Amino acid sequence: MYAWEAIEQSLTFIEEHLTEEIYTEELANIAGLSPFYFQRLFKRLVNKPVQEYVKLRRLAKVIENLGNSEQRILDAALDYGFTSHANFTRAFKETYGITPEEYRRDLPMLNTFDKPEVSMNYVLVDEGVPLVVGNIVLEIQRKTLAEPEVYLGFETKVRISEQIPAGESTGVDVPGQLWKRYHMEKTLIAEDVDANVEMGMSHTEDTAQGLFTYFAGGLVRNIPHKQQGDFVKRELPAGEYIVCRIEAESFEDLVTVALNQGGKYLFGTWLPHHSLTTEPFSAEKYYRDLKDMACMEIWVKPIPLEKKE
């Protein structure tokens, strides 16, 4: 058994026992490692200490319950091992910057910590060959866009360190909030955009301040004669792209877990192993009209590593 397989076993055990006491020594025993080596390896592969990871997964499950049911906050917290309302509130606010009551009232999009698929760091697929991991399917290929595509939507500045997966930090999901705004106001431009094709674009322009610009919008069918409110036009430029196609069981899974895991695989594993980096730009293209699957693509412009200045 490879070391990463041992950690994946412990991750599966954690996921199945989040409502129970979970001891590091028990996890180490399941992995067949000493507690000392297990904790070192776990932090290296998961990027979090064992018990912090357990806490973050429990918080993610509580958030899921609070958003999808009328369950009392305290009951949801107790179900996932938090010993009191005060203990849970402190952990929640330290992690997300708001209280559980504020979350339930406003239901903002949050960056929660997903169960990682560690095996994706050790599997390399050829172009055009699907990779099936967990409940998602990935496929990477090259595409040429002959003409630029125009999109109409909103944009905002985002701090890199505060957004999963780039910064691995939890908190309010700023791009997610921008998408909520777009979907609330897109009726104002319904005649001008294709409701079935949407795109999120990230431009990293201010690395000194650790910021990127994020755009969320729909594909333009008719160029409007005048600007509509705060909507802005942005282009997916013509050119050569590496495209990572991602399929998941539901659209909710697609834009959370699958997007995070697909992005990590593309940028952290596939591109470096092919001696490629990218321009400081990426795009997430969503297809809303597919009935039998949830599907999106990550588009990046590749640059050979040796040519990067």
Side-chain angles (χ1 to χ4, degrees):
M1 180 187 297
Y2 293 106
W4 59 265
E5 292 178 298
I7 298 303
E8 282 212 326
Q9 283 187 350
S10 69
L11 290 171
T12 298
F13 180 89
I14 290 170
E15 207 67 15
E16 294 172 350
H17 296 82
L18 283 171
T19 59
E20 307 167 21
E21 285 285 347
I22 298 176
Y23 299 99
T24 301
E25 292 75 13
E26 183 179 11
L27 294 173
N29 186 56
I30 291 169
L33 301 169
S34 71
F36 174 78
Y37 185 62
F38 171 75
Q39 291 180 83
R40 286 176 57 117
L41 186 62
F42 189 97
K43 185 174 182 181
R44 175 182 167 192
L45 298 185
V46 182
N47 294 323
K48 299 290 181 185
V50 178
Q51 291 304 324
E52 183 182 354
Y53 171 79
V54 172
K55 180 191 74 173
L56 290 172
R57 287 300 300 139
R58 284 174 169 159
L59 285 169
K61 287 294 185 180
V62 174
I63 286 170
E64 186 178 318
N65 283 8
L66 294 181
N68 297 331
S69 75
E70 296 300 319
Q71 186 179 24
R72 289 197 315 156
I73 291 173
L74 178 58
D75 291 340
L78 293 175
D79 284 348
Y80 283 95
F82 294 95
T83 56
S84 68
H85 190 283
N87 174 273
F88 172 66
T89 298
R90 181 170 56 253
F92 196 100
K93 189 164 186 179
E94 286 176 352
T95 303
Y96 301 109
I98 59 175
T99 66
E101 289 77 13
E102 289 170 330
Y103 171 74
R104 168 152 272 179
R105 183 191 68 209
D106 301 329
L107 290 179
M109 301 287 287
L110 295 178
N111 282 318
T112 57
F113 204 87
D114 303 319
K115 175 182 176 291
E117 294 289 348
V118 177
S119 63
M120 294 178 72
N121 297 323
Y122 301 93
V123 178
L124 194 64
V125 293
D126 294 327
E127 292 177 30
V129 177
L131 170 63
V132 181
V133 183
N135 294 323
I136 67 174
V137 180
L138 300 179
E139 186 174 334
I140 297 177
Q141 55 188 296
R142 296 174 190 265
K143 288 188 177 182
T144 300
L145 189 64
E147 299 289 337
E149 294 179 348
V150 180
Y151 290 81
L152 198 62
F154 299 118
E155 69 179 11
T156 188
K157 298 287 186 183
V158 185
R159 191 163 298 282
I160 296 171
S161 64
E162 297 175 357
Q163 300 299 307
I164 289 176
E168 294 294 350
S169 293
T170 51
V172 174
D173 180 358
V174 177
Q177 290 292 91
L178 195 66
W179 276 115
K180 283 182 70 172
R181 181 188 176 193
Y182 173 73
H183 288 138
M184 288 176 62
E185 300 186 35
K186 66 180 180 181
T187 54
L188 300 173
I189 55 171
E191 295 182 355
D192 300 318
V193 299
D194 183 341
N196 295 319
V197 182
E198 297 177 344
M199 182 161 286
M201 302 186 197
S202 301
H203 295 266
T204 306
E205 300 171 352
D206 195 345
T207 54
Q209 295 188 31
L211 299 173
F212 68 91
T213 300
Y214 188 83
F215 168 91
L219 179 64
V220 170
R221 294 181 302 185
N222 307 301
I223 303 293
H225 297 297
K226 61 180 181 178
Q227 182 169 335
Q228 300 273 14
D230 294 330
F231 287 93
V232 296
K233 285 189 294 184
R234 293 292 177 258
E235 284 190 355
L236 179 65
E240 303 293 325
Y241 288 88
I242 297 290
V243 177
C244 178
R245 179 184 174 89
I246 307 170
E247 298 175 10
E249 293 184 353
S250 70
F251 194 77
E252 182 179 356
D253 290 341
L254 181 72
V255 299
T256 54
V257 177
L259 174 57
N260 288 342
Q261 293 177 351
K264 286 180 179 178
Y265 181 73
L266 176 64
F267 292 104
T269 299
W270 199 90
L271 289 168
H273 276 81
H274 287 79
S275 299
L276 294 172
T277 183
T278 67
E279 293 184 11
F281 159 85
S282 67
E284 309 150 13
K285 194 170 186 177
Y286 299 93
Y287 299 94
R288 306 289 300 237
D289 59 339
L290 302 179
K291 297 179 181 178
D292 297 329
M293 71 180 75
C295 175
M296 66 162 293
E297 296 171 335
I298 303 175
W299 290 55
V300 295
K301 286 199 163 189
I303 304 173
L305 280 173
E306 62 270 17
K307 291 185 178 180
K308 185 180 180 183
E309 296 181 0

